[in-house]
Amino acid sequence: MKKSKIDDFKVKDKKLNYLKSTNSIAKYFNFSNLNTTFKKEIIGGISTFLSMMYILSVEPAILGSAPSITGNGTMDSNGVFLATALVAAIATIVMGMSANVPIALAPSMGLNALFAFNIAKTGKIGYEGALIAAMISSIIFCIISITKLRALMINALPHSLHLIIGVSIGFFIAYVGISNIGFVSKTDSNLPIADLSNFKLNYPGMIIGSIVLFGSIILFYKKFFAPVAVMMVGGFIVALILANTVDNEAIKHSLGNAKWSGSEWNFGHLFNGFALNIKNSLAEIGNSEIWNKPTMYVSIFVLVILNFFDATGTLTSINIELNKALGEEKQIPQKALIIDAGATIIGSALGVSHMACYSESCVGISQGARTGFANIITGLLFLLSIPLFPLFKMMPNCISGAATAFIGTIMISSITEIEWKKPEIGVSAFFSILFMVITYNIANGIAVGIIAYTVTSIGVGKTKEVKPVIWALDVLFILYFVATAFIQ
């Protein structure tokens, strides 16, 4: 009897210690005031991960095409995968622990395309130069976030210009996705051109990609959580079956990387690629071919501007959704702004493009996430994805392209909020979208859009409404185009 009582006491003591520990966690994340529970936070964290896990396939696919400044190959996609998972996990967990907000971070869609296609490839400074530019620009952006400069620039631009930039990037990302599905022909350097692709070779990818894309859209509007993840998994299973059972040229062309291979589970490739990307970038820091090109300095400037607008717009939109869920008005925590800006410093050091807060965090919020504890769950799932990297590597471009196109369609939803009846806004939006798509360059679209805003404002007699910061940007963007003329 005494032994039984002692055992009962030990069980009760363990339960008490457990409750104390959980209560400590709940207290740290302020569960009671934010009206949340562990169940809600866990479900919310899982939902956020499922809705943004596509980046684990998309980021390596995009950065894996970025050439080296040495001319020897491209960035190692295995290394990019590991870096993406690690940095997303670290940044997301730090955001949750420090700022106590359910806002997850990962490499930015849009800026990764600029990194690979425009800076590394077209700009001819390689992925090494692009990572250096990302590092420098992120340090500058971090300084801007700490000081009042960020608030100054936010107030200088009309709200519609913020919307225009987001919508334009949405069109650009959708175009990247559509081309990866297989609808558009590409040049030898893998850049899309204004022509339809070879349907005989691409039809399997086009069909599967289209189903994944439109299935994601339908599920999204049906309020189904993680629509992209669900459709990507479904599409991947179909691709996996076809690639391993059907011996067909079109299947091999569209779905070839879904072919099963035991060697894919060699984790040595993963860690070797990760180390190689960092080693090569460090080795090229003193390369004069990087520092002698105007592209380097223009890229730093453009990345600061783009990161600023991307981060500020996304954080604002997530904060609005969070406030709706909480039923109160709260400002974005200053810690969140600094972590958001500082994440890219870590990211570029480990071998990924600019980091950003993800609007997919709203999915987690809709499923109950209210605190940073949801971020802990999301971050741990990113870490868990590392042992499963071969499955992500086998994801065909048509499926990751469908996910990219879906995000583009969601980003352009705010197009109705643009003040089209105001000539200076409408003209700016038109040229920003047009130039971003036809030149396949985000920076060009933003530059032409802001210049068009100023010119049209002068034309309609609203010169006084153009703030000094806009004039300064006009001058800098004109210098940008002049510099571009010397690197073409």
Side-chain angles (χ1 to χ4, degrees), residues 95 141 145 150 312 315 332-342:
M95 177 69 85
F141 182 54
S145 297
R150 191 169 187 178
T312 303
L315 272 171
I332 302 170
Q334 179 66 15
K335 287 182 180 179
L337 297 176
I338 296 172
I339 294 168
D340 165 55

Side-chain angles (χ1 to χ4, degrees), residues 60-268:
I62 293 178
L63 264 61
S65 65
S68 171
I69 185 86
T70 63
N72 297 322
T74 60
M75 201 168 186
D76 190 286
S77 58
N78 291 327
V80 174
F81 175 89
L82 179 55
T84 301
L86 281 176
V87 178
I90 293 169
T92 299
I93 291 173
V94 170
M95 177 69 85
M97 292 291 292
S98 299
N100 195 26
V101 288
I103 301 176
L105 296 93
S108 170
M109 287 298 301
L111 289 184
N112 51 10
L114 177 70
F115 177 102
F117 303 131
N118 303 124
I119 299 176
K121 186 176 292 185
T122 308
K124 298 179 180 179
I125 61 173
Y127 71 81
E128 300 92 345
L131 283 174
I132 295 170
M135 171 71 79
I136 296 172
S137 65
S138 62
I139 292 173
I140 296 172
F141 182 54
C142 199
I143 294 171
I144 292 173
S145 297
I146 294 172
T147 66
K148 294 182 179 180
L149 286 174
R150 191 169 187 178
L152 176 66
M153 294 184 72
I154 291 173
N155 295 330
L157 290 180
H159 178 62
S160 280
L161 284 186
H162 287 269
L163 295 174
I164 287 168
I165 291 171
V167 168
S168 300
I169 293 175
F171 274 102
F172 175 79
I173 289 176
Y175 184 47
V176 172
I178 292 297
S179 65
N180 285 337
I181 289 175
F183 282 101
V184 183
S185 293
K186 295 184 178 181
T187 64
D188 294 336
S189 57
N190 207 38
L191 293 176
I193 56 177
D195 192 16
L196 291 174
S197 66
N198 186 334
F199 284 10
K200 290 182 179 179
L201 282 178
N202 293 315
Y203 77 87
M206 292 165 62
I207 293 172
I208 292 176
S210 297
I211 292 173
V212 172
L213 172 58
F214 288 103
S216 298
I217 293 173
I218 292 170
L219 291 180
F220 176 79
Y221 286 108
K222 290 286 185 180
K223 306 297 182 183
F224 193 92
F225 84 93
V228 181
V230 170
M231 292 306 302
M232 284 183 74
V233 170
F236 178 60
I237 291 172
V238 173
L240 200 62
I241 294 171
L242 291 175
N244 289 279
T245 59
V246 179
D247 186 15
N248 177 281
E249 185 180 1
I251 295 292
K252 290 179 181 178
H253 181 79
S254 296
L255 311 174
N257 52 332
K259 184 78 172 177
W260 178 263
S261 172
S263 62
E264 296 292 339
W265 293 86
N266 184 340
F267 286 88

Side-chain angles (χ1 to χ4, degrees), residues 154-479:
I154 291 173
N155 295 330
L157 290 180
H159 178 62
S160 280
L161 284 186
H162 287 269
L163 295 174
I164 287 168
I165 291 171
V167 168
S168 300
I169 293 175
F171 274 102
F172 175 79
I173 289 176
Y175 184 47
V176 172
I178 292 297
S179 65
N180 285 337
I181 289 175
F183 282 101
V184 183
S185 293
K186 295 184 178 181
T187 64
D188 294 336
S189 57
N190 207 38
L191 293 176
I193 56 177
D195 192 16
L196 291 174
S197 66
N198 186 334
F199 284 10
K200 290 182 179 179
L201 282 178
N202 293 315
Y203 77 87
M206 292 165 62
I207 293 172
I208 292 176
S210 297
I211 292 173
V212 172
L213 172 58
F214 288 103
S216 298
I217 293 173
I218 292 170
L219 291 180
F220 176 79
Y221 286 108
K222 290 286 185 180
K223 306 297 182 183
F224 193 92
F225 84 93
V228 181
V230 170
M231 292 306 302
M232 284 183 74
V233 170
F236 178 60
I237 291 172
V238 173
L240 200 62
I241 294 171
L242 291 175
N244 289 279
T245 59
V246 179
D247 186 15
N248 177 281
E249 185 180 1
I251 295 292
K252 290 179 181 178
H253 181 79
S254 296
L255 311 174
N257 52 332
K259 184 78 172 177
W260 178 263
S261 172
S263 62
E264 296 292 339
W265 293 86
N266 184 340
F267 286 88
H269 294 317
L270 187 68
F271 291 95
N272 290 339
F274 175 71
L276 184 65
N277 288 338
I278 297 174
K279 179 183 175 182
N280 289 346
S281 299
L282 291 174
E284 300 302 327
I285 288 179
N287 191 333
S288 59
E289 290 187 31
I290 292 176
W291 300 103
N292 288 341
K293 286 186 172 67
T295 303
M296 182 63 179
Y297 306 98
V298 174
S299 297
I300 292 171
F301 163 71
V302 171
L303 285 172
V304 171
I305 298 298
L306 288 178
N307 202 24
F308 170 83
F309 291 120
D310 182 49
T312 303
T314 304
L315 272 171
T316 300
S317 62
I318 296 173
N319 194 55
I320 290 172
E321 293 303 313
L322 185 57
N323 284 339
K324 287 180 182 177
L326 293 172
E328 55 184 281
E329 290 297 318
K330 285 189 174 184
Q331 296 296 319
I332 302 170
Q334 179 66 15
K335 287 182 180 179
L337 297 176
I338 296 172
I339 294 168
D340 165 55
T344 301
I345 299 177
I346 305 299
S348 55
L350 296 181
V352 294
S353 53
H354 273 73
M355 298 289 290
C357 295
Y358 263 56
S359 57
E360 283 83 355
S361 300
C362 294
V363 175
I365 293 171
S366 70
Q367 300 300 307
R370 298 291 181 270
T371 74
F373 186 75
N375 270 29
I376 309 300
I377 303 301
T378 303
L380 291 176
L381 288 172
F382 270 114
L383 292 177
L384 183 62
S385 70
I386 295 174
L388 302 175
F389 89 97
L391 294 178
F392 290 95
K393 187 180 178 183
M394 291 169 67
M395 188 74 70
N397 288 337
C398 62
I399 295 177
S400 59
T404 308
F406 169 78
I407 297 302
T409 62
I410 301 306
M411 288 182 69
I412 67 171
S413 61
S414 56
I415 194 170
T416 56
E417 298 176 36
I418 296 174
E419 301 170 289
W420 290 97
K421 292 184 179 181
K422 292 184 178 181
E424 68 278 14
I425 299 297
V427 172
S428 174
F430 171 75
F431 280 105
S432 181
I433 295 169
L434 180 66
F435 272 79
M436 200 172 289
V437 174
I438 65 174
T439 66
Y440 207 62
N441 189 303
I442 293 173
N444 289 345
I446 292 177
V448 174
I450 289 180
I451 292 172
Y453 168 78
T454 303
V455 172
T456 309
S457 294
I458 295 172
V460 297
K462 295 183 178 180
T463 307
K464 293 182 179 180
E465 294 183 14
V466 181
K467 297 183 178 180
V469 173
I470 300 291
W471 289 108
L473 288 175
D474 290 329
V475 173
L476 288 172
F477 279 130
I478 290 172
L479 292 174

